[in-house]
């Protein structure tokens, strides 16, 4: 039973601090409830304690007869309703609860039919025993219904339902025949003056009712519901009725009391069912709260599948002669008003999910505009993702100042103030890059109130993605023309790599310049100097980059390349050696075509160096500093044109693969100790 009580704490097992305390078990309400159940027992005690003055005898056979017939009839209807619910849900607990009411109502009816001087001429055993027997039989079903039946036990009960129902019907028919035919059995004979009872069986029934009420109350604590409270109260009243009936003072007020208790028990459940049916607008799920936990989970799963079906139909806006809510109403026994509410709720949920999916698509589109992603790939991926959330989205880019979408063409002037154009249930938004028309996006609208805003957001995100990918492409082209690709890639991927500072790295430095460049420059025109340098650098740069090197300086005819920085290379010394030899081969081909050109001389050295961004906050460059780089420059200075000179550290890293000629120990400028150098002639 839902509650708005602010004092109720969360259900056990949830994130709340304590167990759930349903409204019916709040302290004040619990006290009132207990008082209501205790009052009949107090009245019974008063009647029995003051038997002569209060517990008077009142015998009116017709009143008894019609009261019992009416109450038993109502209770039989209630039992049939619960039985129908048990069949619809295939639930063992509901089956057992229905047998509680059918058995107690059936024997109550037989008790009424055996009222003396109505059908039978006088008092009889059947009149005295019918109701105690009915209450005892019902107590067994009540106790079984309150047990936490597992799947296997529930299956056994359901498989036995024909036997249970058939056995109860057979017992009622046999009891009726034996009680209502005069002289046939002792049941239709006159009982003793003190009345007839069941002895110890009545005490057992009392215990079973009490245990059933306690077990159901524990269930109610975990799963509060109005019908559970009604059923708990009914079981408690049936126990009190059995207790009151044990005193066998026929026609006295204490005897009428247990009739009233039975009546109240039946009416209480019927009234609870009536209130809940009015609250829910129907009787389809009236007794679901009493069902087993497995049945409740199955019912909830059915409702979830039904709601998903409804949402799916609403999202597809599927055409059907019968609305999907109406079909589900027939499946679940809902009223017309409930079907209308379900339809509106499903549509609201569908719209909410559609909004969530579109917002998720916008986030995905923003994540797709990555560095280095080609424009065509970006558009294909973005369009596929947008169609999943938005429907039939179309996109086209500008060609010759026009955008062709289907059979229509649009120019920049066709979009008023840069706004969208409406056409046939769609909205067409311009895509802009740097404030100029770059394309157009067509998005279907009109299904929800947020469609226009979401379409505008999609167009804005697509424009940003398109502008980003083109900007990245321009920056990458520009960077790669002015710096090494490894440095450009690092900066584009993470601009923080441009911060001033460096790290100590073992690397191999390659210095190269053109021997005789100054003399050559004095005797030729400046244009020929530029042509010569471009030919050499055009040949050298691809060789260095192809071997994993990073060119960090062009100074006139000289260049500096680093290997193992910033990109790491395990064989950086050998890679630098391969690059130096290949550069000399390419230079030899150039000189063969232009005999007057100067020749490369190359120096290579390996060792630790400080690598990073060097300069100022306004202008900086990627470079390396250290003795390793200085020695490479000195080795390049002593190298003969067309040769590659390497240091001892480089040879050690290359190993026996290098074919070298030793130059011995050399005294280099700025070095206190001599440096052993070698002329590299090849790599095996």
């Amino acid at each position: 039973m839902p509650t708005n009580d602010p004092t109720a704490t969360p259900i056990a097992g949830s994130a709340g601090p304590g167990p759930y305390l349903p409204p019916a078990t709040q302290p004040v309400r619990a006290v009132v409830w207990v008082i209501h159940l205790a009052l009949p027992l107090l009245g019974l005690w008063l009647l029995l304690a003051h038997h002569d003055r209060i517990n008077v005898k009142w015998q009116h056979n017709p009143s008894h007869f019609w009261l019992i017939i009416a109450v038993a009839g109502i209770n039989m209807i209630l039992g049939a309703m619960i039985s129908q619910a048990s069949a619809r849900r295939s639930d063992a607990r509901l089956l057992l609860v229905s047998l509680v009411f059918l058995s107690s109502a059936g024997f109550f009816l037989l008790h009424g039919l055996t009222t003396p001087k109505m059908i039978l001429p006088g008092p009889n055993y059947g009149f005295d025993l019918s109701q105690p027997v009915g209450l005892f039989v019902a107590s067994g079903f009540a106790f079984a219904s309150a047990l936490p039946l597992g799947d296997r036990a529930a299956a056994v009960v359901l498989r036995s339902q024909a036997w249970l129902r058939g056995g109860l019907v057979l017992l009622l028919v046999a009891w009726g025949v034996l009680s209502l035919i005069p002289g046939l059995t002792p049941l239709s004979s006159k009982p003793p003056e003190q009345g007839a009872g069941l002895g110890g069986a009545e005490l057992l029934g009392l215990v079973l009712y009490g245990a059933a009420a306690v077990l159901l109350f524990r269930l109610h604590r975990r799963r509060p519901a109005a019908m559970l409270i009604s059923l708990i109260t009914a079981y408690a009243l049936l126990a009190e009725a059995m207790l009151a009936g044990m005193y066998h003072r026929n026609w006295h007020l204490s005897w009428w009391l247990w009739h009233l208790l039975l009546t109240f028990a039946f009416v209480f459940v019927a009234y609870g069912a009536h209130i809940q049916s009015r609250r829910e607008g129907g009787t389809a799920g009236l007794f679901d709260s009493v069902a087993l936990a497995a049945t409740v989970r199955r019912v909830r799963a059915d409702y979830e599948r039904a709601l998903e079906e409804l949402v799916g139909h609403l999202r597809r806006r599927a055409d059907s002669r019968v609305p999907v809510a109406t079909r589900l109403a027939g499946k679940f026994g809902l009223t017309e008003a409930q079907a209308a509410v379900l339809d509106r709720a499903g549509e609201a949920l569908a719209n909410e999910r559609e909004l969530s999916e579109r917002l998720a698509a916008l986030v995905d589109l923003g994540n797709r505009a990555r560095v280095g992603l080609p424009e065509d790939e970006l558009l294909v991926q973005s369009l596929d993702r947008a169609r999943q959330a938005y429907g039939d989205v179309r996109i086209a880019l500008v060609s010759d100042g026009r955008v062709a979408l289907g059979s229509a063409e649009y120019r920049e002037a066709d979009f008023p103030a840069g706004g969208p154009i409406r056409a046939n249930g769609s909205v067409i938004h311009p895509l802009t890059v740097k404030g100029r028309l770059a394309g157009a996006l067509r998005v279907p609208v009109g299904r929800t109130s947020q469609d226009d805003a979401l379409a505008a957001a999609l167009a804005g995100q697509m424009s940003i993605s398109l502008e980003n990918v083109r900007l990245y492409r321009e920056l990458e082209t520009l960077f790669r023309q002015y710096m090494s690709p490894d440095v450009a890639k690092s900066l584009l991927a993470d601009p923080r790599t441009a911060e001033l500072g460096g790290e100590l790295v073992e690397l191999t430095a390659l210095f190269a310049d053109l021997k005789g460049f100054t003399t050559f420059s004095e005797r030729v025109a400046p244009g020929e100097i530029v042509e010569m340098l471009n030919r050499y650098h055009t040949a050298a740069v691809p060789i260095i980059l192809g071997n994993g090197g990073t060119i960090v300086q062009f100074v006139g005819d000289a260049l500096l390349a680093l290997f193992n920085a910033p990109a790491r290379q395990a064989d950086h010394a050998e890679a630098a050696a391969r690059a130096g030899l290949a550069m000399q081969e390419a230079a030899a081909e150039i000189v063969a075509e232009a005999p007057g050109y100067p020749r490369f001389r190359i120096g290579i050295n390996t060792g630790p160096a400080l690598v990073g961004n060097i300069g100022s906050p306004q202008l900086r460059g990627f470079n390396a500093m250290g003795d390793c780089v200085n020695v490479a420059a000195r080795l390049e200075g002593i190298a003969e044109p067309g040769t590659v000179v390497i240091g001892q550290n480089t040879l050690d890293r290359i190993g026996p693969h290098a074919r070298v000629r030793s130059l011995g120990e050399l005294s280099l400028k700025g070095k206190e100790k001599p440096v052993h150098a070698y002329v590299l002639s090849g790599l095996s």
Side-chain angles (χ1 to χ4, degrees), residues 511-584:
F511 258 104
D513 77 343
L514 295 171
K515 177 65 174 177
F517 174 75
T518 303
T519 303
F520 178 81
S521 301
E522 291 176 348
R523 59 186 174 82
V524 299
E528 191 172 348
I529 297 174
V530 173
E531 180 184 352
M532 182 270 295
L533 289 175
N534 287 341
R535 288 188 66 180
Y536 275 124
H537 291 326
T538 299
V541 168
I543 292 172
I544 294 173
L545 298 180
N547 283 279
T550 299
I551 301 173
V552 296
Q553 283 185 7
F554 282 109
V555 182
D557 63 321
L559 66 83
L560 169 61
L562 305 178
F563 293 80
N564 201 39
R568 298 292 183 259
Q569 292 174 276
D571 59 343
H572 52 90
E574 186 172 343
R578 285 196 304 268
L581 293 172
M583 286 172 63
Q584 293 293 22

Side-chain angles (χ1 to χ4, degrees), residues 447-470:
R447 289 161 60 178
T448 69
S449 58
Q450 301 95 354
D451 280 1
D452 286 335
L454 291 170
L458 177 62
Q461 184 59 61
M462 291 294 291
S463 291
I464 293 172
S465 299
L466 190 60
E467 185 163 2
N468 283 346
V469 76
R470 291 186 178 182

Side-chain angles (χ1 to χ4, degrees), residues 207-407:
V207 172
L208 292 177
Y209 278 125
V214 171
L215 290 173
L216 286 183
F217 181 77
R218 294 180 62 185
L219 174 63
H220 174 71
R221 295 270 296 185
R222 297 192 304 269
R223 198 173 73 206
M227 284 308 304
L228 276 174
I229 284 292
S230 300
L231 197 59
I232 294 169
T233 306
Y235 284 180
L237 292 174
L238 290 177
E240 293 180 2
M242 176 160 276
L243 177 63
M246 291 171 60
Y247 292 94
H248 312 297
R249 296 183 180 275
N250 291 357
W251 302 107
H252 288 80
L253 292 184
S254 59
W255 181 82
W256 282 101
L257 177 61
W258 68 259
H259 290 73
L260 292 177
L261 288 172
L262 278 171
T263 302
F264 285 148
F266 301 151
V267 171
F268 199 95
V269 175
Y271 179 72
H274 171 69
I275 293 299
Q276 188 158 330
S277 65
R278 287 187 58 186
R279 180 181 302 161
E280 298 182 0
T283 60
L286 190 60
F287 301 101
D288 287 350
S289 58
V290 181
L292 294 171
T295 304
V296 173
R297 290 194 297 268
R298 189 172 66 248
V299 170
R300 289 176 178 172
D302 288 342
Y303 286 157
E304 289 174 1
R305 284 193 296 269
L307 193 56
E308 289 294 335
E309 179 184 349
L310 175 62
V311 169
H313 278 271
L314 290 172
R315 289 184 61 193
R316 295 189 298 270
R317 300 308 195 262
D319 295 329
S320 176
R321 296 181 62 183
V322 180
V324 63
T326 303
R327 296 201 303 271
L328 293 177
K331 179 179 179 180
F332 291 98
L334 305 180
T335 65
E336 184 176 345
Q338 288 174 324
V341 172
L342 178 63
D343 191 35
R344 291 194 296 272
E347 186 168 2
L349 181 58
N351 291 338
E352 181 182 354
R353 289 192 176 182
E354 194 166 327
L355 174 62
S356 298
E357 289 185 7
R358 291 184 180 184
L359 293 176
L362 291 175
V363 174
D364 287 347
L365 292 177
N367 293 332
R368 291 176 189 272
R370 301 187 304 273
V371 175
L373 186 67
E375 182 175 309
D376 292 343
E377 184 178 347
L378 169 73
L379 292 177
V380 170
Q381 292 183 7
S382 299
L383 192 59
D384 288 344
R385 183 64 183 92
R387 283 176 174 170
Q388 295 173 12
Y390 284 79
D392 187 19
V393 177
R394 301 296 178 91
I395 190 172
L397 299 181
V398 166
S399 177
D400 296 329
R402 299 188 302 272
V403 180
L405 270 175
S407 60

